[in-house]
Amino acid sequence: MQRILTAVLGLSLALTVGCTTQRVQAEKALAKTFVSDEQEEEIGQQVKKELETKEGIKYVQDAAVVDYVRNLSSPIIRQATKDRPGVQWKINVIDDPKTVNAFATPGGYLYVYTGLILASDTEAELAGVMAHEAGHVVGRHSARAMVNQMGIQTVSQLALGQNPGAAAQIAAQLVGGGAMLAHSRSEESEADQYGARYANGAGYDPRGLITFFEKLQKEQGSTPGVMKWLSTHPTNEKRIKDLQEYIRQNNLRSTNNSPGQLPAIKQKLGGR
């Protein structure tokens, strides 16, 4: 208990007086030290309830579509689990063909919109986006955002077990304020690198995420649905070049860039 309180005070000072970089590092340290995998799981469950009851999201009921997405994600999750073994991943497919989006929340809850599936031309593109989102979980980016929005006192109460309703309170704030989707530029870059590595390890062309970025850039303004992804994942030429360089330097050479079963799944979605 004393160790926790001492660490809280030290990190609190960094949050108060540090520069932006120091503050981000302090938030990450606080999230890693005081928010356990079990607590993230509890928050993820509460976020799911918020999304279902207050945001009114609906899930795809077609088992073939759900199984396809989960099977596609399976080798990606195996890669992510090597870096963060304590997460129990849950893949959810949201029935919204007009929204091109995916996001992840604490506890390894990964949400994929049917609009993202329809917007993908290859399985490497879809896998790249899902691997990117898995990278946000591995990097504890949503947990850091939670610290940033909720403050050290609420997070400390969660860690110390002093506030039984803290998880529900945090979940409501994350969903209502959109903090779970708002990541810093450095976190987006980190998630890009995780995504390329995980997709490559799963056998997919790691450049799938790049081609998806480039496609969304061309379509913004003409396809309203793509703005959902771009609003939380702003993409520019530097980000794409940085990812290309990461792939080259790390010799990521998987080549699976085929449509695979994607056309059949898209046809099934379009026929509903």
Coordinates of all heavy atoms in Angstrom, one line a residue, residues 110-151:
L110 N -11.9 -6.0 -29.2 CA -11.6 -5.4 -30.5 C -12.9 -5.4 -31.3 O -13.6 -6.4 -31.5 CB -10.6 -6.2 -31.2 CG -9.8 -5.5 -32.3 CD1 -8.5 -6.3 -32.6 CD2 -10.6 -5.5 -33.6
Y111 N -13.3 -4.2 -31.8 CA -14.6 -4.0 -32.6 C -14.3 -3.7 -34.0 O -13.5 -2.8 -34.3 CB -15.4 -2.9 -31.9 CG -15.8 -3.2 -30.5 CD1 -14.9 -2.9 -29.4 CD2 -17.1 -3.7 -30.2 CE1 -15.3 -3.1 -28.1 CE2 -17.4 -3.9 -28.9 CZ -16.5 -3.6 -27.8 OH -16.9 -3.9 -26.5
V112 N -14.9 -4.4 -34.9 CA -14.8 -4.2 -36.4 C -16.2 -3.9 -37.0 O -17.1 -4.7 -36.8 CB -14.2 -5.5 -37.0 CG1 -14.1 -5.3 -38.5 CG2 -12.8 -5.8 -36.4
Y113 N -16.3 -2.8 -37.7 CA -17.5 -2.5 -38.4 C -17.6 -3.2 -39.7 O -16.6 -3.4 -40.4 CB -17.6 -1.0 -38.6 CG -17.8 -0.1 -37.4 CD1 -16.9 0.1 -36.4 CD2 -19.1 0.5 -37.2 CE1 -17.1 0.8 -35.3 CE2 -19.3 1.3 -36.1 CZ -18.4 1.4 -35.1 OH -18.6 2.2 -34.0
T114 N -18.8 -3.5 -40.1 CA -19.0 -4.2 -41.4 C -18.6 -3.2 -42.5 O -18.1 -3.6 -43.6 CB -20.4 -4.6 -41.6 OG1 -21.3 -3.5 -41.4 CG2 -20.8 -5.8 -40.7
G115 N -18.7 -1.9 -42.3 CA -18.2 -0.9 -43.3 C -16.7 -1.1 -43.6 O -16.3 -0.8 -44.7
L116 N -15.9 -1.4 -42.6 CA -14.5 -1.7 -42.8 C -14.3 -2.9 -43.7 O -13.4 -2.9 -44.5 CB -13.8 -1.9 -41.4 CG -12.3 -2.2 -41.5 CD1 -11.5 -1.1 -42.0 CD2 -11.8 -2.7 -40.1
I117 N -15.0 -3.9 -43.4 CA -14.9 -5.2 -44.2 C -15.3 -4.8 -45.7 O -14.5 -5.2 -46.6 CB -15.9 -6.3 -43.7 CG1 -15.5 -6.6 -42.3 CG2 -15.8 -7.5 -44.6 CD1 -16.5 -7.5 -41.6
L118 N -16.3 -4.1 -45.9 CA -16.7 -3.7 -47.3 C -15.7 -2.8 -48.0 O -15.6 -2.8 -49.2 CB -18.1 -3.1 -47.2 CG -19.3 -4.0 -46.8 CD1 -20.5 -3.1 -46.5 CD2 -19.6 -5.0 -47.9
A119 N -15.0 -2.0 -47.2 CA -14.0 -1.1 -47.8 C -12.7 -1.7 -48.1 O -11.9 -1.1 -48.8 CB -13.8 0.1 -46.8
S120 N -12.5 -2.9 -47.5 CA -11.2 -3.6 -47.8 C -11.2 -4.3 -49.1 O -12.2 -5.0 -49.4 CB -10.9 -4.6 -46.6 OG -10.9 -3.9 -45.4
D121 N -10.1 -4.3 -49.8 CA -10.0 -5.0 -51.1 C -9.2 -6.3 -50.9 O -9.4 -7.2 -51.8 CB -9.3 -4.1 -52.1 CG -10.1 -2.9 -52.5 OD1 -11.3 -3.1 -52.7 OD2 -9.6 -1.8 -52.6
T122 N -8.4 -6.4 -49.9 CA -7.7 -7.6 -49.7 C -7.7 -8.0 -48.2 O -8.0 -7.1 -47.4 CB -6.2 -7.5 -50.1 OG1 -5.5 -6.6 -49.2 CG2 -6.0 -7.0 -51.5
E123 N -7.4 -9.2 -47.9 CA -7.4 -9.7 -46.5 C -6.2 -9.0 -45.8 O -6.3 -8.8 -44.6 CB -7.3 -11.2 -46.4 CG -8.6 -11.9 -46.9 CD -8.6 -13.4 -46.6 OE1 -7.5 -14.0 -46.6 OE2 -9.7 -13.9 -46.5
A124 N -5.2 -8.7 -46.5 CA -4.0 -8.0 -45.9 C -4.4 -6.6 -45.4 O -3.9 -6.2 -44.3 CB -2.9 -7.9 -46.9
E125 N -5.3 -5.9 -46.1 CA -5.8 -4.6 -45.6 C -6.6 -4.8 -44.3 O -6.4 -4.0 -43.3 CB -6.6 -3.9 -46.7 CG -5.8 -3.4 -47.9 CD -6.6 -2.7 -48.9 OE1 -7.9 -2.7 -48.8 OE2 -6.0 -2.1 -49.8
L126 N -7.5 -5.7 -44.3 CA -8.4 -5.9 -43.2 C -7.5 -6.4 -42.0 O -7.7 -5.9 -40.8 CB -9.5 -6.9 -43.5 CG -10.5 -7.3 -42.4 CD1 -11.2 -6.0 -41.9 CD2 -11.5 -8.3 -42.9
A127 N -6.6 -7.3 -42.2 CA -5.7 -7.8 -41.2 C -4.8 -6.7 -40.6 O -4.6 -6.6 -39.4 CB -4.9 -8.9 -41.7
G128 N -4.4 -5.8 -41.5 CA -3.5 -4.7 -41.1 C -4.2 -3.8 -40.1 O -3.6 -3.3 -39.1
V129 N -5.5 -3.4 -40.4 CA -6.2 -2.6 -39.5 C -6.5 -3.2 -38.2 O -6.3 -2.6 -37.1 CB -7.6 -2.2 -40.2 CG1 -8.4 -1.4 -39.2 CG2 -7.3 -1.3 -41.4
M130 N -6.8 -4.5 -38.2 CA -7.1 -5.2 -37.0 C -5.8 -5.4 -36.1 O -5.8 -5.3 -34.9 CB -7.7 -6.6 -37.3 CG -9.1 -6.5 -37.9 SD -9.8 -8.1 -38.3 CE -10.1 -8.7 -36.7
A131 N -4.7 -5.6 -36.8 CA -3.4 -5.7 -36.1 C -3.0 -4.4 -35.5 O -2.4 -4.3 -34.4 CB -2.3 -6.2 -37.1
H132 N -3.3 -3.3 -36.2 CA -3.0 -2.0 -35.7 C -3.8 -1.7 -34.4 O -3.3 -1.3 -33.4 CB -3.4 -0.9 -36.7 CG -3.4 0.5 -36.2 ND1 -2.4 1.4 -36.4 CD2 -4.4 1.2 -35.6 CE1 -2.7 2.5 -35.8 NE2 -3.9 2.4 -35.3
E133 N -5.1 -2.1 -34.4 CA -5.9 -2.0 -33.2 C -5.4 -2.8 -32.1 O -5.4 -2.4 -30.9 CB -7.4 -2.2 -33.5 CG -8.0 -1.3 -34.5 CD -8.0 0.2 -34.0 OE1 -7.9 0.4 -32.8 OE2 -8.0 1.1 -34.8
A134 N -5.0 -4.0 -32.4 CA -4.4 -4.9 -31.4 C -3.1 -4.2 -30.8 O -2.9 -4.4 -29.6 CB -4.0 -6.3 -31.9
G135 N -2.4 -3.5 -31.6 CA -1.2 -2.8 -31.1 C -1.6 -1.7 -30.1 O -0.8 -1.5 -29.1
H136 N -2.7 -1.1 -30.2 CA -3.2 -0.1 -29.2 C -3.4 -0.8 -27.9 O -3.1 -0.2 -26.8 CB -4.5 0.6 -29.7 CG -4.3 1.6 -30.7 ND1 -3.4 2.7 -30.5 CD2 -4.9 1.9 -31.9 CE1 -3.5 3.5 -31.5 NE2 -4.4 3.0 -32.4
V137 N -3.9 -2.0 -27.9 CA -4.1 -2.7 -26.6 C -2.8 -3.1 -26.0 O -2.5 -2.9 -24.8 CB -5.0 -4.0 -26.8 CG1 -5.1 -4.8 -25.5 CG2 -6.4 -3.5 -27.3
V138 N -1.9 -3.7 -26.8 CA -0.6 -4.1 -26.3 C 0.2 -2.9 -25.8 O 0.8 -3.0 -24.7 CB 0.2 -4.8 -27.5 CG1 1.6 -5.1 -27.0 CG2 -0.5 -6.1 -27.9
G139 N 0.1 -1.8 -26.4 CA 0.7 -0.6 -25.9 C 0.0 0.1 -24.8 O 0.5 1.2 -24.3
R140 N -1.1 -0.4 -24.3 CA -1.9 0.2 -23.2 C -2.3 1.6 -23.5 O -2.4 2.5 -22.6 CB -1.1 0.1 -21.9 CG -0.7 -1.3 -21.4 CD 0.1 -1.2 -20.2 NE 0.6 -2.6 -19.8 CZ -0.1 -3.4 -18.9 NH1 -1.2 -3.0 -18.4 NH2 0.4 -4.5 -18.6
H141 N -2.6 1.9 -24.8 CA -2.9 3.3 -25.2 C -4.2 3.7 -24.6 O -4.4 4.9 -24.2 CB -2.9 3.4 -26.7 CG -1.5 3.1 -27.3 ND1 -1.3 2.8 -28.6 CD2 -0.3 3.0 -26.7 CE1 0.0 2.6 -28.8 NE2 0.6 2.7 -27.7
S142 N -5.2 2.9 -24.6 CA -6.5 3.3 -24.0 C -6.4 3.5 -22.5 O -7.1 4.3 -21.9 CB -7.6 2.2 -24.3 OG -7.9 2.2 -25.7
A143 N -5.6 2.7 -21.9 CA -5.4 2.8 -20.4 C -4.7 4.2 -20.2 O -5.0 4.8 -19.2 CB -4.5 1.7 -19.9
R144 N -3.8 4.6 -21.0 CA -3.1 5.9 -20.9 C -4.2 7.0 -21.0 O -4.2 8.0 -20.3 CB -2.0 6.1 -21.9 CG -1.2 7.4 -21.6 CD -0.5 7.9 -22.9 NE -1.5 8.2 -23.9 CZ -2.1 9.4 -24.0 NH1 -1.9 10.3 -23.0 NH2 -3.0 9.7 -24.9
A145 N -5.0 6.8 -22.1 CA -6.0 7.8 -22.3 C -7.0 8.0 -21.1 O -7.5 9.0 -20.7 CB -6.8 7.5 -23.6
M146 N -7.2 6.8 -20.5 CA -8.1 6.8 -19.3 C -7.4 7.6 -18.2 O -8.1 8.4 -17.5 CB -8.2 5.3 -18.8 CG -9.0 5.1 -17.5 SD -9.0 3.4 -17.1 CE -7.3 3.2 -16.5
V147 N -6.1 7.4 -17.9 CA -5.4 8.2 -16.9 C -5.5 9.7 -17.3 O -5.7 10.5 -16.4 CB -3.9 7.7 -16.8 CG1 -3.1 8.7 -15.9 CG2 -3.9 6.3 -16.3
N148 N -5.3 10.0 -18.5 CA -5.3 11.4 -19.0 C -6.7 12.1 -18.7 O -6.8 13.2 -18.3 CB -5.0 11.5 -20.5 CG -4.9 12.9 -21.0 OD1 -4.4 13.8 -20.3 ND2 -5.4 13.1 -22.2
Q149 N -7.8 11.3 -19.0 CA -9.1 11.9 -18.9 C -9.6 11.9 -17.5 O -10.2 12.8 -17.0 CB -10.1 11.2 -19.8 CG -11.5 11.8 -19.7 CD -12.4 11.4 -20.9 OE1 -11.9 11.1 -22.0 NE2 -13.7 11.3 -20.7
M150 N -9.4 10.7 -16.8 CA -10.0 10.6 -15.5 C -9.2 11.1 -14.3 O -9.7 11.5 -13.3 CB -10.3 9.1 -15.2 CG -11.2 8.4 -16.2 SD -12.8 9.2 -16.3 CE -13.4 9.0 -14.6
G151 N -7.9 11.2 -14.6 CA -7.0 11.8 -13.5 C -6.5 10.7 -12.6 O -7.0 9.6 -12.5

